[in-house]
């Protein structure tokens, strides 16, 4: 399936646009794109940026699941791309508001050109309860066309382990109580 404007890929929304055409989002096997086997062995998504001014691609999904308070969320995916990414971002959002993201420079530092690189975005949620959104986008301003490939998006949730910490006043009262008990025991012995 190849998308040159706007459509869906499974539960994902995909869009592509370019001032003079040529941007697209496609799904296929790694071998159909001339790449090594995909990390999970099935389909991957190809994001193609036109070699013209002002092209963009976007792949996003809003889950029916809401963020749980006091939880850690870990988004991982594989990115196969060129040596230089151009305005590429990945983000997690809560009901449309970005809560965690990677910029182009952060993504570039995490990836190795022309190989599948595992990208991990971690978000610690304290109170947000909105629906979870995942967005991967790229904007291209000029230069030659290029493609990047994404595969194996996973989102894991784990609770924040919380160990109650006594308040200083609680500790002070405990100390006073033990001191008073010790004083009473010594006083009754004499």
């Amino acid at each position: 399936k190849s998308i040159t404007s706007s459509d869906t890929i499974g539960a994902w929304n995909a869009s592509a646009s370019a001032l003079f055409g040529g941007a697209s989002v496609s799904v296929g096997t790694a071998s159909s794109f001339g790449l090594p086997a995909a990390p999970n062995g099935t389909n991957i998504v190809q994001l193609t940026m036109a070699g013209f001014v002002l092209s963009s691609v976007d792949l996003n999904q809003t889950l029916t699941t809401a963020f749980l308070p006091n939880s850690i969320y870990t988004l991982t995916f594989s990115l196969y791309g060129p040596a230089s990414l151009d305005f590429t971002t990945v983000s997690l959002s809560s009901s449309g508001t970005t809560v965690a993201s990677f910029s182009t420079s952060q993504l570039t530092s995490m990836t190795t050109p022309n190989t599948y690189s595992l990208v991990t975005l971690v978000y610690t949620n304290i109170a947000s309860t909105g629906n979870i959104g995942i967005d991967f986008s790229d904007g291209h301003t000029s230069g030659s066309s290029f493609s990047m490939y994404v595969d194996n998006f996973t989102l894991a949730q784990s609770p924040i382990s919380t160990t109650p910490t006594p308040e200083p006043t609680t500790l002070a009262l405990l100390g006073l109580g033990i001191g008073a008990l010790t004083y009473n025991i010594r006083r009754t012995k004499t």
Side-chain angles (χ1 to χ4, degrees), residues 79-147:
L79 175 63
Y80 186 106
S84 176
L85 302 174
D86 192 15
F87 300 108
T88 306
T89 60
V90 63
S91 63
L92 283 174
S93 62
S94 174
S95 296
T97 302
T98 300
V99 294
S101 65
F102 280 143
S103 65
T104 303
S105 60
Q106 290 168 314
L107 284 169
T108 300
S109 71
M110 291 180 220
T111 58
T112 303
N114 302 317
T115 187
Y116 292 103
S117 299
L118 185 64
V119 176
T120 302
L121 175 62
V122 177
Y123 168 60
T124 301
N125 182 50
I126 302 302
S128 179
T129 58
N131 281 11
I132 300 169
I134 302 169
D135 186 70
F136 183 89
S137 62
D138 189 74
H140 190 56
T141 55
S142 64
S144 59
S145 61
F146 67 91
S147 293

Side-chain angles (χ1 to χ4, degrees), residues 153-175:
F153 276 90
T154 58
L155 182 65
Q157 177 267 335
S158 60
I160 296 173
S161 71
T162 56
T163 304
T165 304
E167 294 290 329
T169 54
T170 304
L171 293 176
L173 288 173
L174 177 63

Side-chain angles (χ1 to χ4, degrees), residues 67-88:
F67 280 108
L68 297 175
N70 299 315
S71 296
I72 298 172
Y73 288 85
T74 306
L75 173 68
T76 58
F77 65 95
S78 296
L79 175 63
Y80 186 106
S84 176
L85 302 174
D86 192 15
F87 300 108
T88 306

